[in-house]
Amino acid sequence: MPAARLQWVDFTRSMMFIWHMIQRAIKQSGIFAELSQTEFERLSPYMREQHMPRKTELFHQDDPGDALYLILKGGVRIYRYSSTGREITLAVLREGQFFGEMSLLDGMPRSANAITIENTEFIVLKRNDFLNVLKTTPEIAIKILKDMSVRVREADAMIEDFALLNVYERLMKYINTRIKEEGKREGYCTVISGNIKRQDIANAIGSTRETVSRIFSSWQKKGYIKIYPTKIIIYRDMSMDMTRKNG
């Protein structure tokens, strides 16, 4: 077989392997995990891969909503501004998570802003393609609506937290959530790696950088945690003694 032909075969096999790996990642995500193989195969031809560098603004609040994004690698922060102009983080999403799903069904403007927090790879599904598939496979919409209802419940819980919890309790809950989702046990402590910027944490809990720093300083003095630029080490149960008295 000619060398050029061999190179083309190798390239084709490589691309097929890469697409197979992408499919596996997509199938493991919440919004597509329940789709049958047939349903998934109807959608997959319309999925497009994109790569975006860190700090890329993907869209802004009130922009036209025309696509869903699924994160293959990297991370995205979803945020919006309060009536006083303060930036509030609604969610930090990682590999296997998705956003922009509401636009698939209602086509309304974006309800928040989205920015990459590191170099990120996506799968993008455009609304028009999605609606065309629904005409022949409406069962897909039912499964996606089920997953969207989980998002609504999570949003309700966030609203309840802002209404009922003080800033110390919100920060404690934030750390506990990251322990549950990202924490790795190392000996007698738990380690959270990744973004430890106090301003981002403050945005996520509806507080200020100064308040977060003050609480962290108090917790470090008490021996509960140790904070580094890219990780937090937790030495004990974060639900113990960390109440408003720690301020």
Side-chain angles (χ1 to χ4, degrees):
M1 186 179 294
R5 176 61 177 168
L6 284 172
Q7 290 177 352
W8 174 251
V9 171
D10 289 342
F11 173 77
T12 302
R13 288 174 177 171
S14 175
M15 293 302 297
M16 289 178 64
F17 175 76
I18 292 171
W19 178 238
H20 176 69
M21 296 300 293
I22 291 173
Q23 284 183 315
R24 284 183 57 188
I26 295 171
K27 282 287 288 178
Q28 291 172 355
S29 70
I31 197 167
F32 298 118
E34 293 190 18
L35 298 185
S36 68
Q37 186 62 30
T38 299
E39 292 166 345
F40 180 77
E41 288 173 357
R42 289 184 181 275
L43 279 176
S44 59
Y46 301 103
M47 296 176 180
R48 300 290 180 262
E49 190 177 3
Q50 286 188 0
H51 302 259
M52 295 292 181
R54 179 174 176 267
K55 290 189 175 181
T56 299
E57 294 278 358
L58 299 173
F59 54 75
H60 298 93
Q61 186 174 345
D62 296 326
D63 281 352
D66 66 347
L68 171 143
Y69 295 79
L70 169 65
I71 303 172
L72 293 177
K73 182 181 180 181
V76 172
R77 183 167 66 90
I78 308 297
Y79 69 98
R80 60 183 303 167
Y81 294 97
S82 69
S83 58
T84 59
R86 189 174 69 187
E87 190 176 292
I88 299 174
T89 297
L90 303 178
V92 175
L93 305 176
R94 298 286 181 180
E95 180 179 329
Q97 295 181 295
F98 61 92
F99 57 98
E101 71 279 5
M102 289 190 294
S103 69
L104 289 187
L105 297 176
D106 62 20
M108 298 292 287
R110 300 293 188 185
S111 60
N113 310 283
I115 185 172
T116 58
I117 56 177
E118 54 191 271
N119 294 338
T120 305
E121 299 176 13
F122 303 98
I123 286 294
V124 181
L125 178 61
K126 293 290 186 178
R127 180 172 186 263
N128 288 339
D129 294 330
F130 176 74
L131 293 179
N132 286 333
V133 173
L134 288 192
K135 292 176 182 178
T136 57
T137 319
E139 297 84 358
I140 294 175
I142 296 174
K143 293 179 179 180
I144 290 179
L145 283 171
K146 179 181 176 181
D147 203 277
M148 288 175 63
S149 70
V150 174
R151 293 291 189 96
V152 174
R153 291 179 186 275
E154 291 174 350
D156 287 345
M158 178 181 291
I159 293 170
E160 183 178 356
D161 287 348
F162 275 88
L164 301 179
L165 302 180
N166 61 48
V167 65
Y168 307 102
E169 293 165 339
R170 294 202 299 272
L171 181 54
M172 184 202 316
K173 185 170 183 178
Y174 172 87
I175 296 297
N176 274 325
T177 298
R178 290 195 64 170
I179 290 173
K180 181 179 179 181
E181 295 178 352
E182 310 167 35
K184 295 182 179 179
R185 195 70 182 173
E186 295 186 7
Y188 58 88
C189 60
T190 302
V191 178
I192 303 172
S193 301
N195 175 29
I196 313 297
K197 292 182 179 178
R198 287 166 171 75
Q199 186 59 62
D200 289 345
I201 295 174
N203 292 340
I205 66 171
S207 184
T208 65
R209 185 186 185 280
E210 293 73 20
T211 299
V212 169
S213 294
R214 179 165 53 84
I215 299 172
F216 275 165
S217 178
S218 173
W219 289 353
Q220 287 194 102
K221 289 178 181 178
K222 293 176 184 291
Y224 296 152
I225 62 177
K226 184 69 175 178
I227 301 175
Y228 297 91
T230 59
K231 67 180 179 180
I232 297 178
I233 300 177
I234 299 95
Y235 293 104
R236 59 175 296 176
D237 185 349
M238 294 295 289
S239 65
M240 298 176 65
D241 302 329
M242 293 186 187
T243 65
R244 68 190 67 194
K245 295 179 181 179
N246 291 318

